[in-house]
Amino acid sequence: MSRTVVVVGSSIGGVRAAQALRSEGFDGRVVLVGEEAQAPYDKPPLSKQFLAGEWDADRTLLLSEEAAERAGIELRLGVAATRLDVAGRQVLLADGSRLDYDAVVIATGAAARPSPWRPGSGVHVVRTLQDSQALQADLQHDGPVVVVGGGFIGAEVAGTARGLGREVTVVDPLPTPIGRVVGPEIGRYFTELHHRHGVSTRFGVGVEEITGSAGDLRVRLTDGTELPAGTVVVGIGAVPNDGWLADSGVPIDNGVLCDEYSRAVDAPDVYAIGDVARWFHPGHREHVRVEHWTNAVEQGMCAAHNITHPDDLRSYRPVEYVWSDQYDWKAQIVGRPTRGTRHELVGDLAGEKPRAAALYTDDTGRLCGAVTVNWPKALAQSRRLVTEGATFDDAMARVSALPPPAARPAPVPAAGGRP
């Protein structure tokens, strides 16, 4: 008897899970449900190439209707899932229809944390294609841009806006950007990166109020100063899209609580992947939720394997990895630098051609994470060493012995003069 798998969520995790079901040999029915009406698209370019006007929407496409048909994946787009009936094995949709399932994959991701400041207009978040299009339109006008939040999204939007010729200020209550991830010492290099590209920063101070409307906004900070802005972008984190599961009986605690196989606790035919999943990591011996593109892809593949091969279950125990393109830096992070008690820097982040790796160790004396900039070989080596559980001293010796990367060609200016 043919089985049906319903995948709820049409971003990268859901798409890759649906495709992986086929590559794993699943021959039943696969239905991919998406709240947005447009074909599934990739989100990292929304704060960079698409926002800058260098890419059109087609270039962000993850799965066309033709490709879905070839793979035997049914698309139900433009309709949100509103409820999960675990006992009845059904997904209820906003149009009143129901989808029966033998297994369901929850891949609804996370939403941008809403702005607590609500002026008349001109305040944006960046999470969807529609968000990026709205911000793109505002960035065509003159006027300063204030970015609230110095994390990955904030930094990438700041770089894009600056490349479009806007005057940009980044505000964050932390003393350095992405300090929660890399620590204050390495974070200072990211502050200098903003300054070298003409972006102003106000770190260590929060936003108290935003008033006005698009083109004429005032951002009042907690130290009493005011910043004029034509446009404000708020990037203050994300929250898992798990509200539609509130009465399902599936355990929710900062995401869907899962076992090491990505199965929802006490609901073995329900899987959760990506930003919405909080699963038990066998290596860390704790439940974790990870908001990274790579994690969504890899967890989707793991869930697809376990659905297709229930007698050969694989635990999901990744080494974390995330990247961010900021100005002329490609920053790549592996492992868990936040667990480090000290770090050492190999290379240079202050020169004209910065390339370096910051290696982090914890109380065990092992390598627990690394941050690399413009150094792919150091990233590959560090990821391998974290996976192997290498000692910090051994990691320092191996990374220090790596040859420097080949010189990168000078960027070719695009239309408008932005590299």
Side-chain angles (χ1 to χ4, degrees):
M1 182 175 177
S2 180
R3 301 176 69 219
T4 296
V5 176
V6 175
V7 181
V8 184
S10 59
S11 194
I12 185 66
V15 170
R16 293 295 183 256
Q19 292 173 323
L21 283 165
R22 293 307 188 206
S23 63
E24 288 285 345
F26 182 80
D27 58 3
R29 184 185 180 203
V30 177
V31 184
L32 181 64
V33 177
E35 181 177 9
E36 296 180 72
Q38 61 259 45
Y41 59 88
D42 208 10
K43 291 186 174 179
L46 299 184
S47 58
K48 295 168 288 194
Q49 298 96 333
F50 179 80
L51 181 61
E54 297 169 357
W55 289 13
D56 60 19
D58 288 344
R59 195 164 175 182
T60 69
L61 189 67
L62 286 174
L63 182 68
S64 66
E65 291 185 9
E66 295 76 15
E69 185 175 357
R70 288 195 300 271
I73 298 171
E74 298 178 35
L75 297 179
R76 290 294 303 272
L77 303 178
V79 57
T82 57
R83 186 170 180 269
L84 181 66
D85 179 357
V86 175
R89 292 174 178 265
Q90 290 185 326
V91 177
L92 283 64
L93 304 182
D95 62 3
S97 62
R98 296 167 177 256
L99 292 172
D100 295 316
Y101 69 81
D102 294 284
V104 62
V105 180
I106 299 168
T108 43
R113 189 177 299 280
S115 168
W117 311 284
R118 304 292 179 91
S121 59
V123 173
H124 299 264
V125 296
V126 180
R127 194 72 183 186
T128 68
L129 187 66
Q130 188 175 18
D131 292 337
S132 187
Q133 288 171 329
L135 175 57
Q136 186 183 64
D138 270 9
L139 290 179
Q140 302 309 308
H141 306 297
D142 291 333
V145 177
V146 173
V147 178
V148 183
F152 295 126
I153 292 294
E156 291 171 0
V157 168
T160 300
R162 184 61 184 152
L164 292 171
R166 301 282 74 79
E167 176 187 331
V168 181
T169 301
V170 179
V171 180
D172 196 294
L174 291 182
T176 61
I178 65 171
R180 293 181 183 88
V181 179
V182 303
E185 291 84 4
I186 299 300
R188 280 194 286 271
Y189 289 105
F190 285 84
T191 302
E192 293 168 4
L193 174 65
H194 283 300
H195 294 169
R196 284 199 300 275
H197 287 84
V199 171
S200 301
T201 59
R202 292 298 309 275
F203 294 124
V205 61
V207 172
E208 188 170 286
E209 186 180 31
I210 302 175
T211 57
S213 58
D216 185 21
L217 293 160
R218 292 283 167 179
V219 181
R220 185 152 56 92
L221 306 184
T222 51
D223 63 2
T225 60
E226 279 194 352
L227 301 175
T231 303
V232 173
V233 184
V234 177
I236 53 175
V239 291
N241 287 320
D242 54 20
W244 67 284
L245 300 166
D247 65 349
S248 66
V250 172
I252 304 295
D253 182 7
N254 185 29
V256 179
L257 207 60
C258 298
D259 65 14
E260 65 183 287
Y261 305 109
S262 298
R263 301 177 303 190
V265 173
D266 297 328
D269 294 316
V270 177
Y271 293 75
I273 64 170
D275 295 6
V276 75
R278 185 163 170 258
W279 84 99
F280 183 79
H281 193 302
H284 302 328
R285 307 302 301 171
E286 64 181 4
H287 282 84
V288 298
R289 189 173 72 84
V290 178
E291 296 176 0
H292 300 327
W293 188 97
T294 304
N295 177 72
V297 171
E298 293 178 346
Q299 196 166 23
M301 295 171 65
C302 181
H305 172 88
N306 290 340
I307 291 170
T308 309
H309 306 287
D311 296 328
D312 180 31
L313 294 178
R314 292 178 183 170
S315 62
Y316 184 58
R317 48 192 309 153
V319 171
E320 293 87 345
Y321 168 72
V322 63
W323 81 93
S324 178
D325 296 316
Q326 301 181 22
Y327 309 101
D328 55 350
W329 282 20
K330 177 172 281 294
Q332 296 174 284
I333 301 171
V334 63
R336 307 176 98 189
T338 54
R339 297 301 176 95
T341 54
R342 69 182 181 92
H343 72 272
E344 296 287 343
L345 187 66
V346 180
D348 180 18
L349 287 176
E352 291 184 4
K353 298 180 179 180
R355 64 97 186 170
L359 305 185
Y360 296 74
T361 183
D362 55 21
D363 292 332
T364 69
R366 297 195 174 275
L367 180 71
C368 64
V371 179
T372 69
V373 173
N374 299 339
W375 199 359
K377 289 184 179 179
L379 182 280
Q381 181 76 283
S382 298
R383 195 171 190 181
R384 186 161 48 246
L385 292 168
V386 171
T387 303
E388 294 171 356
T391 66
F392 181 71
D393 290 342
D394 184 32
M396 282 293 297
R398 293 199 197 185
V399 173
S400 298
L402 289 173
R408 292 180 296 162
V412 177
R418 183 179 183 274

